[in-house]
Amino acid sequence: MNKGILAALVAAILFGGSTPFAKLLLGGIDPWLLAGILYLGSGIGLTAVHFVTKGEQSRLGIGEWPWLVGAILSGGVAGPVLLMYGLSGASAATSSLLLNAEGVLTAVLAWVVFKENADRRIVLGMLAIMVGAAVLSWPTGSVEPSWPSLAVLAACLCWAIDNNLTRKVSLSDPVQIAAIKGLSAGVTNVVLAVAMGAHSPPVATVAAAGAIGFLGYGISLVAFVVGLRELGTARTGAYFSTAPFVGAIVSVLLLGETISLRLVAAAALMGVGVWLHLTERHEHDHQHNAMEHEHAHEHDEHHHHHGDEPLGAHVHPHRHEPMIHQHPHFPDAHHRHGHS
């Protein structure tokens, strides 16, 4: 299986699986404060990993910081605040349904604004996954348009912007990126929660939330960034949209919830969507323009720039000469060309 596909699915499994565990903590902690601690657990844990690991990775360059700052402001600050406002007036069922808009908005921005390739098979797969997510979380009652609902949709738009901006820095160290985002979002949300009157939870609750955040928000985000690097934004977002199904399955096992017809229907739809993506074969003659950048890489058909070929992954600034060839590919860092 392609490394990017595996990374995107791991991101979905970790994030979706963390939701039921976080739900178990909600009785003893303010929801906004819980969100902040989850982010902080992610940021603190990944910061430790960043300093302990010694693998070669490209560090963030000066020109990449504006993209990351924009991602943090949209997804780590504005998104959670808008979601909290929405949750204060919208039902949980309605909010769950509306949150599925993040995947759709992520793909639309990638295709329309950032001109990422959208094959018919990928679009159909995305639709199948999103319909499955909607079936899984469709409320039993009516859904009335309201300002809280619009706030949840605005939060989804913020996260969609975050996803597309993060793709701009995805060649850099994913652990560093995720650590910075986790710490920034965590501090922001904890400060806002305390300012809104949240009380300090028990130490055991904080520790559990931090551990859940490290896996479900931190490691998941690292895997998501790897997916962005290898697959592009829309495809990574599509695979990540299976997270609600993972959360539902974990809820069945952990919380004893029943297997419903909607869960089976959602599984079938998402299975079709993932199958359409897994069986994609995008291949044609394409041109690589001259390009200079830096990232961790091994020598392959796109990287021939040494007299003595080194073994294994390594990092340094390098130049790609113009080239025309044909092979199966995704819209990764080396295949962001236009299509007729």
Side-chain angles (χ1 to χ4, degrees):
M1 181 182 293
N2 176 277
K3 180 173 69 174
I5 294 174
L6 180 61
L9 290 175
V10 167
I13 290 170
L14 288 174
F15 181 75
S18 71
T19 302
F21 287 96
K23 184 177 180 179
L24 291 174
L25 301 177
L26 274 176
I29 185 172
D30 177 82
W32 200 330
L33 183 59
L34 175 59
I37 296 174
L38 289 169
Y39 279 118
L40 272 182
S42 161
I44 293 172
L46 290 177
T47 298
V49 171
H50 177 70
F51 284 108
V52 170
T53 56
K54 297 181 180 180
E56 279 199 278
Q57 291 287 345
S58 176
R59 301 298 186 241
L60 283 164
I62 295 177
E64 293 178 311
W65 278 98
W67 297 114
L68 183 58
V69 170
I72 292 171
L73 290 176
S74 59
V77 179
V81 171
L82 286 166
L83 179 61
M84 290 303 111
Y85 173 74
L87 289 176
S88 67
S91 68
T94 298
S95 299
S96 296
L97 169 64
L98 294 172
L99 284 173
N100 289 316
E102 179 187 347
V104 175
L105 292 171
T106 295
V108 169
L109 285 177
W111 294 333
V112 176
V113 178
F114 294 93
K115 307 303 180 183
E116 191 171 295
N117 167 249
D119 287 348
R120 181 182 302 175
R121 194 179 192 87
I122 293 301
V123 174
L124 291 176
M126 165 63 88
L127 289 175
I129 292 171
M130 295 312 304
V131 171
V135 167
L136 187 65
S137 57
W138 193 268
T140 54
S142 59
V143 181
E144 301 90 8
S146 63
W147 283 110
S149 295
L150 291 176
V152 175
L153 287 175
C156 290
L157 178 60
C158 287
W159 288 320
I161 294 172
D162 174 8
N163 293 337
N164 279 277
L165 294 182
T166 300
R167 193 249 174 106
K168 294 285 190 179
V169 299
S170 61
L171 287 180
S172 298
D173 183 357
V175 174
Q176 182 187 24
I177 293 170
I180 293 171
K181 293 181 73 173
L183 288 173
S184 302
V187 169
T188 299
N189 283 285
V190 166
V191 169
L192 290 173
V194 172
M196 294 295 290
H199 300 291
S200 300
V203 174
T205 301
V206 173
I212 293 170
F214 174 65
L215 292 173
Y217 286 63
I219 301 299
S220 174
L221 180 55
V222 171
F224 187 84
V225 173
V226 173
L228 290 174
R229 174 191 299 176
E230 301 291 333
L231 302 177
T233 312
R235 288 163 178 79
T236 303
Y239 285 114
F240 190 76
S241 295
T242 60
F245 173 69
V246 175
I249 292 297
V250 174
S251 295
V252 169
L253 300 175
L254 179 67
L255 305 178
E257 297 183 2
T258 58
I259 298 178
S260 62
L261 179 60
R262 69 166 61 188
L263 182 59
V264 174
L269 286 164
M270 289 184 175
V272 169
V274 171
W275 174 78
L276 285 169
H277 282 233
L278 287 174
T279 55
E280 175 197 13
R281 185 176 178 84
H282 182 77
E283 182 175 3
H284 58 86
D285 285 326
H286 56 276
Q287 178 175 349
H288 294 269
N289 295 322
M291 177 192 304
E292 292 187 23
H293 60 183
E294 178 180 349
H295 64 95
H297 63 279
E298 297 184 14
H299 286 171
D300 55 24
E301 60 186 320
H302 298 104
H303 296 90
H304 296 292
H305 45 255
H306 291 282
D308 298 323
E309 298 286 310
L311 298 176
H314 57 288
V315 177
H316 60 83
H318 56 275
R319 175 179 173 82
H320 295 273
E321 297 299 332
M323 174 173 54
I324 298 177
H325 63 173
Q326 177 176 333
H327 62 91
H329 59 277
F330 295 103
D332 58 25
H334 300 98
H335 298 91
R336 296 178 183 174
H337 48 265
H339 292 77
S340 56

